[in-house]
Every structure is written in structure tokens, then in C-alpha cells.
Amino acid sequence: MPELPEVETTVRGLAEVLDGAILSSVVPRRADLRRPIPVDLGQRLTGARVTELWRRAKYGLIGTHRGDTLIFHLGMSGRWRIDPGEIGKHDHLVMTTEAGRTLALNDPRRFGSLDLIATDALPVYPAFMALGPEPLGAEFTAEYLADILSGKAAPIKAALLDQRTVAGLGNIYVCEALHIAGIDPRSPAGSISRPRLTALVAAIRQVLEDAIRAGGSTLRDYARPDGELGYFSKQWRVYGREGQACPACQGPIRRRVDSGRSTFDCPSCQKR
Ligand SMILES: [Zn+2]
């Protein structure tokens, strides 16, 4: 499943092709993904100039000079293909630019989504209304975390996965960041000291930035005909490494399952 860093590198890859481009055709090839695709999406985007590309949580946004923004979510299996040799049955949206480039949104499982809304209405887009700050943004600080977690008895891991606390963090990155910060995932969120919250904010930024850098090098490989954007592999410290050596203390990494999700941590390095 694409996580925040994959969406970020996807948006950067799309920007190489789309920033400033005029869309000569935009064609949805089915009526829905997880939700219906707006019926006028192709018409409103065709002929428009792309003015801006950015990311919010795990959504990619493409703004045009007409005051519309295309919002895409990659779901479980979505990816953009740049200049695909031929259009396949899982390519659900195909865009061409005046410069002769083609982009196809490919999503075999169709858990992704496509919306087109007025850029002015973004603050009231339902998926964005309850989102916390961006983890790589200036608002996400130890002071902010101390404030929002104050008095909360929920485990810190659950609090960080709650999108109202911080936007776009998934299970992998939360496990990795808690390991770097030396915090037991079960620690009550409101009990963590300010210095440890400072370490946690730094660790969250580090794991995301490392992953974006890893995807960045892949992107250069992918930014070519028949390339794809959206996925890369990364060596994790604890995630998916049950029983293997902790990179810090060499002790065995532990896996626990809670509400259907796996938590990986190091019992020696991570304390309440
Ligand atoms: Zn350890």
C-alpha cells in the first residue's frame, strides 16, 4: 500500500511532466473507483493548464488555472504510469499533454479515488476537514504533540495513527519512528515527557525523509518511457523483522498483533 513517502515521490514525479503543462485530453475509462468519478471530470480538465502539484496526507493534488483541483488517492494498488507503451485494462484515467506526454492512473484493485473540486473548496473537502498537521510541516512540533496528547490514555502508537493527531502516518512509519525515539508503542500518549516528544518528532521526520530520499533515487530510474511511479522498497529497522537483530542492541525484535495490526518493536531499546 502506498504510504506518505510514495505519494510524495509520485507527486514529484508527476510534477516533472505536468507542472505548467496544458492537458490536451483527460479521459476516465470507467465510471468509478472506490467512489464514482465526477462525470464532468474529463471535460473540466481538458484544455486546462496545470499550475500546481502538491500532497496532503496520502492524497495527491493537481491544480489548474481554471480553479479546479484533481485529488487522487492511490488506495491499495494505485500507481501512475508515465508514457506507457499501451493503455491497459487497469488504466482508469488517461491524460495527455500538449507536449505529447501520456500519464495513466493504473489501479487493479480500485481502492483508490479520483475527485475534482473547486480549489477554493479544498478546506471543506470531507477527507481533509479532520486532518491534523503534515508531519513534515512547520506546525508539527513537540509543543503541538504535548498539547494534543495531553491527558490521553490511548497508546502512543494508536494516537499517532489517528489522522486527527498528524496526517498521513501509517503503521510502518509509526513502528520505525517509535524505535528510533526509544518509546514503547504501548506507552500512554499523555505520559510521554517533552524531551521524548522532541525525539519522537525528529524520528518521524527522519523516517519519512529517508524514505522520500530512497524513492527519489528510484524516481530517476522510473522517469522514463514505460516507467511507473508509486512504489519502492526500503530496509526497515523493525518493521517486518520479527526475531531478527535490533540494529541498535542486536536483541531480537518482537511482533505483537493488536486490532489486526502488527506492531514491531525492541523490548530492550523501547521504554515506557
Ligand atoms: Zn534494541
Side-chain angles (χ1 to χ4, degrees):
M1 188 188 315
E3 297 279 351
L4 185 154
E6 281 100 344
V7 180
E8 178 68 28
T9 54
T10 293
V11 167
R12 292 180 190 185
L14 290 176
E16 289 184 18
V17 177
L18 283 182
D19 201 11
I22 293 179
L23 302 171
S24 48
S25 76
V26 177
V27 181
R29 300 181 70 246
R30 55 177 296 123
D32 60 355
L33 294 173
R34 187 176 58 196
R35 298 195 296 271
I37 296 171
V39 289
D40 59 351
L41 181 144
Q43 178 218 325
R44 277 163 67 188
L45 289 174
T46 296
R49 181 165 48 81
V50 174
T51 51
E52 199 178 3
L53 294 100
W54 73 108
R55 178 190 57 72
R56 175 74 170 120
K58 292 202 276 181
Y59 292 83
L61 297 98
I62 302 173
T64 76
H65 82 291
R66 290 178 180 161
D68 288 325
T69 295
L70 175 69
I71 305 172
F72 67 87
H73 192 285
L74 297 172
M76 305 285 286
S77 59
R79 64 188 73 206
W80 284 90
R81 305 169 69 210
I82 296 182
D83 297 328
E86 56 189 44
I87 300 303
K89 72 170 181 173
H90 299 302
D91 291 322
H92 305 310
L93 182 78
V94 179
M95 291 183 172
T96 55
T97 70
E98 272 194 357
R101 308 296 298 271
T102 300
L103 292 164
L105 178 64
N106 184 280
D107 186 357
R109 296 180 65 184
R110 302 202 305 267
F111 283 105
S113 64
L114 279 169
D115 274 315
L116 185 70
I117 69 163
T119 304
D120 288 348
L122 282 174
V124 294
Y125 183 64
F128 295 164
M129 285 181 70
L131 281 183
E134 285 292 319
L136 296 174
E139 276 178 69
F140 185 62
T141 62
E143 290 68 30
Y144 164 79
L145 264 190
D147 190 41
I148 197 163
L149 300 179
S150 170
K152 288 204 171 139
I156 184 62
K157 187 189 172 204
L160 292 173
L161 288 172
D162 182 339
Q163 302 297 298
R164 292 169 296 187
T165 308
V166 56
L169 283 190
N171 194 33
I172 296 174
Y173 292 94
V174 169
C175 289
E176 294 289 296
L178 287 169
H179 181 261
I180 292 172
I183 297 171
D184 186 319
R186 296 166 297 184
S187 307
S191 73
I192 300 168
S193 69
R194 185 65 68 95
R196 300 182 85 205
L197 290 178
T198 300
L200 179 58
V201 166
I204 289 169
R205 292 178 186 274
Q206 180 190 329
V207 294
L208 294 173
E209 284 167 358
D210 284 353
I212 290 167
R213 262 194 298 279
S217 57
T218 310
L219 180 62
R220 279 191 288 278
D221 301 332
Y222 280 162
R224 64 184 185 204
D226 298 325
E228 292 178 356
L229 298 170
Y231 294 85
F232 46 86
S233 59
K234 174 107 178 45
Q235 182 59 56
W236 307 114
R237 299 164 63 92
V238 290
Y239 188 83
R241 299 189 63 234
E242 181 182 13
Q244 297 179 41
C246 165
C249 73
Q250 312 307 317
I253 289 163
R254 172 175 64 179
R255 170 175 178 259
R256 284 176 290 107
V257 178
D258 177 28
S259 330
R261 278 182 191 272
S262 290
T263 296
F264 296 89
D265 68 357
C266 172
S268 311
C269 293
Q270 295 175 249
K271 302 293 185 201
R272 289 195 184 216

